[in-house]
């Protein structure tokens, strides 16, 4: 299968790179020099694949939704990443990175989290592999994602509240980076998305690419072809989307649709539609699009979904958008809520709020009966029940 790789400096076109404090130079340069040599060994791949199979539960099913297919008059498939152990795609990446950290001799793991799924996946992997774990999470996200906070604590992780800024994902990432700067020797930072300094965007993309690899095999079984007409995925930082797109980029057939969180509307001032509104800048170690003022100050993003309210985007997605290799759409809070209740009522699947944004985009597509559409269901909605419960009466 064709791979989608940055250049040696970690750039996808003009996006990416490695913009880091001097204190982190050794950590990041060690990763840059060694990550491919380690993760491409047969020994590493055997251990990773065995854990993905027997611990995570891969391959995840590719579910043909007869009900969605009837409604949208096309062939609609759901890639069931919600059925992974811990309930989302995030564990594909955390197992890979923590295995790498152990081979680099690290004793302590730190991570950031927004919706909590990356934090849970990191804490789970650290429990399995016997490493100390600290997770940074925005104080606001801690309140709206309490079930995941308790899961992390039960798994033995220390959860640290980020009290600055909007108290969400951006601020949790800032705190994790500060901690890494203060304790660089024995600490490994597990970044949860295709963001950050090189090699993180490439490394996370490679670990998540198992999603599109499986889709190709599974579609041959279902439809006799490895390539769908469309793949649709939500984007915050963009890890589930990159995983779902990875092996379809430049195949000459499949249209890739990345769905951003419009919040209250792209032009409302309460949004996380980074590609739609963003300008080039540097955030968390890489050059990409981010929502910012004229003088370069980051504008606080907003989304009902804790995993999508990030002011930047992975540099690979910025490049893919600029070059027309992906189509970028946006979905409001209300549209995502409606799509979540629809899937729950007609298929008995409660999606994560993040995934509901991808599902909602089906309403904006013009489809033919022969079209094969794969929607990446990146996570399950257990963590979002506090939010969903506020809408029960409206959706009855």
């Amino acid at each position: 299968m064709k791979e989608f790789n940055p250049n040696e400096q970690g750039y996808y076109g003009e996006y990416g790179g490695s913009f880091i404090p001097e204190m982190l130079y050794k950590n990041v340069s060690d990763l840059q020099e060694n990550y491919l040599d380690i993760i491409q060994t047969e020994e590493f791949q055997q251990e990773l694949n065995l854990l993905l199979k027997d611990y995570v539960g891969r391959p995840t099913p590719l579910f043909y939704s007869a009900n969605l297919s009837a409604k949208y008059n096309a062939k609609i498939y759901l890639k069931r990443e919600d059925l992974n152990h811990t309930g989302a795609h995030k564990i594909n990446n955390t197992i890979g990175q923590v295995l790498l950290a152990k081979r680099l001799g690290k004793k302590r793991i730190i991570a950031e989290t927004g919706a909590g799924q990356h934090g849970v996946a990191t804490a789970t992997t650290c429990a399995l592999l016997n490493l100390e774990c600290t997770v940074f999470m925005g104080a606001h996200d801690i309140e709206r994602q309490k079930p995941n906070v308790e899961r992390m604590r039960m798994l033995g992780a220390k959860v640290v509240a980020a009290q600055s800024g909007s108290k969400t994902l951006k601020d949790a990432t800032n705190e994790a980076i500060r901690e890494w700067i203060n304790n660089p020797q024995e600490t490994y930072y597990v970044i949860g998305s295709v963001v950050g300094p090189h090699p993180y965007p490439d490394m996370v993309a490679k670990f998540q690419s198992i999603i599109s690899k499986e889709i190709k095999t599974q579609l041959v079984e279902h439809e006799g072809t490895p390539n769908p007409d469309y793949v649709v995925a939500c984007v915050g930082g963009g890890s589930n989307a990159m995983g779902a797109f990875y092996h379809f980029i430049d195949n000459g057939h499949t249209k890739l649709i990345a769905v951003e969180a419009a919040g209250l509307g792209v032009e409302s001032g309460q949004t996380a539609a980074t590609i739609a509104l963003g300008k080039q800048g540097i955030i968390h170690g890489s050059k990409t699009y981010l929502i910012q003022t004229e003088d370069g100050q980051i504008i606080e993003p907003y989304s009902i979904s804790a995993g999508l309210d990030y002011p930047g985007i992975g540099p690979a997605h910025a490049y893919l958008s600029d070059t027309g290799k992906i189509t970028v759409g946006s979905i409001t809070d209300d549209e995502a809520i409606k799509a979540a209740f629809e899937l729950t009522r007609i298929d008995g699947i409660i999606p994560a709020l993040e995934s509901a944004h991808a599902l909602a985009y089906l309403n904006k597509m013009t489809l033919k009966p022969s079209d094969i559409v794969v929607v990446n269901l990146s996570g399950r909605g257990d963590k979002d029940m506090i939010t969903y419960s506020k809408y029960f009466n409206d959706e009855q």
Side-chain angles (χ1 to χ4, degrees):
M1 291 184 186
K2 185 177 179 181
E3 292 224 340
F4 175 61
N5 298 310
N7 67 18
E8 289 185 3
Q9 289 74 44
Y11 281 91
Y12 302 86
E14 60 184 308
Y15 302 100
S18 181
F19 300 84
I20 53 171
E22 184 178 351
M23 286 290 291
L24 293 179
Y25 179 80
K26 186 177 189 308
N27 293 55
V28 174
S29 61
D30 283 350
L31 266 181
Q32 291 170 352
E33 292 169 9
N34 294 304
Y35 82 107
L36 288 175
D37 288 341
I38 293 173
I39 70 175
Q40 291 177 347
T41 64
E42 184 176 352
E43 178 195 8
F44 183 94
Q45 286 296 315
Q46 284 181 347
E47 185 173 9
L48 174 64
N49 290 331
L50 187 63
L51 286 172
L52 289 175
K53 175 177 177 287
D54 293 339
Y55 186 70
V56 175
R58 303 204 70 92
T60 57
L62 185 67
F63 170 61
Y64 174 72
S65 172
N67 295 318
L68 287 176
S69 297
K71 175 171 182 177
Y72 293 105
N73 196 30
K75 300 175 183 179
I76 310 296
Y77 287 87
L78 304 178
K79 181 56 172 167
R80 298 291 308 276
E81 292 299 289
D82 58 311
L83 294 180
N84 281 324
H85 179 44
T86 73
H89 68 291
K90 294 293 188 180
I91 198 164
N92 304 327
N93 168 52
T94 61
I95 284 184
Q97 285 203 55
V98 176
L99 286 175
L100 174 61
K102 290 198 76 166
R103 283 165 169 77
L104 291 171
K106 303 299 182 179
K107 307 296 184 186
R108 177 173 178 259
I109 300 297
I110 60 172
E112 88 296 329
T113 196
Q117 287 300 125
H118 175 59
V120 169
T122 304
T124 298
T125 305
C126 287
L128 174 68
L129 299 175
N130 193 29
L131 286 172
E132 180 186 341
C133 180
T134 299
V135 178
F136 294 86
M137 190 173 189
H140 178 53
D141 290 340
I142 285 175
E143 289 302 313
R144 58 178 172 170
Q145 298 289 341
K146 284 186 177 179
N148 273 345
V149 175
E150 296 311 314
R151 291 168 76 192
M152 285 183 268
R153 288 172 174 156
M154 187 172 180
L155 287 160
K158 178 182 179 183
V159 180
V160 178
Q163 299 288 353
S164 61
S166 60
K167 304 178 183 179
T168 55
L169 179 56
K170 168 183 68 70
D171 313 293
T173 305
N174 291 341
E175 294 300 324
I177 291 173
R178 288 190 189 102
E179 175 66 18
W180 196 19
I181 290 170
N182 290 331
N183 298 280
Q185 297 304 315
E186 292 192 342
T187 300
Y188 180 94
Y189 180 17
V190 177
I191 293 181
S193 196
V194 285
V195 300
H198 176 62
Y200 281 101
D202 181 49
M203 184 163 53
V204 176
K206 282 179 166 52
F207 289 138
Q208 293 294 358
S209 69
I210 186 70
I211 300 171
S212 53
K213 181 180 180 181
E214 289 178 3
I215 291 171
K216 290 178 76 72
T217 299
Q218 292 166 324
L219 264 186
V220 170
E221 297 172 2
H222 283 284
E223 297 285 347
T225 176
N227 297 318
D229 296 291
Y230 299 91
V231 177
V232 186
C234 64
V235 288
S239 63
N240 92 88
M242 186 52 64
F245 296 167
Y246 194 88
H247 290 295
F248 300 113
I249 296 169
D250 285 331
N251 74 353
H253 178 79
T254 305
K255 298 177 180 66
L256 307 174
I257 300 175
V259 184
E260 298 189 299
L264 302 184
V266 172
E267 303 297 336
S268 69
Q270 296 288 306
T271 185
T274 305
I275 296 178
L277 297 176
K279 294 174 288 193
Q280 290 184 11
I282 294 170
I283 185 171
H284 299 141
S286 71
K287 181 181 178 183
T288 187
Y289 280 124
L290 63 151
I291 307 174
Q292 56 186 313
T293 62
E294 290 296 328
D295 58 355
Q297 297 301 307
I298 291 173
I299 296 173
E300 299 291 351
Y302 162 77
S303 169
I304 195 171
S305 166
L308 299 182
D309 60 353
Y310 183 66
I313 189 74
H317 288 297
Y319 164 77
L320 291 171
S321 175
D322 271 13
T323 54
K325 296 176 188 295
I326 61 173
T327 298
V328 181
S330 59
I331 289 295
T332 65
D333 290 355
D334 288 344
E335 290 170 325
I337 289 289
K338 183 176 180 180
F341 275 88
E342 175 183 82
L343 185 67
T344 302
R345 300 291 169 79
I346 70 172
D347 270 345
I349 300 170
I350 303 175
L353 269 167
E354 292 80 7
S355 308
H357 284 72
L359 288 162
Y361 198 79
L362 291 171
N363 277 308
K364 299 181 182 291
M365 299 173 69
T366 301
L367 299 170
K368 306 187 300 292
S370 61
D371 283 339
I372 301 169
V373 184
V374 177
V375 179
N376 195 37
L377 204 65
S378 58
R380 65 180 181 233
D382 308 37
K383 67 183 179 58
D384 295 311
M385 291 311 299
I386 293 172
T387 301
Y388 283 145
S389 66
K390 298 174 184 176
Y391 295 85
F392 283 170
N393 290 336
D394 295 340
E395 299 294 336
Q396 292 296 332

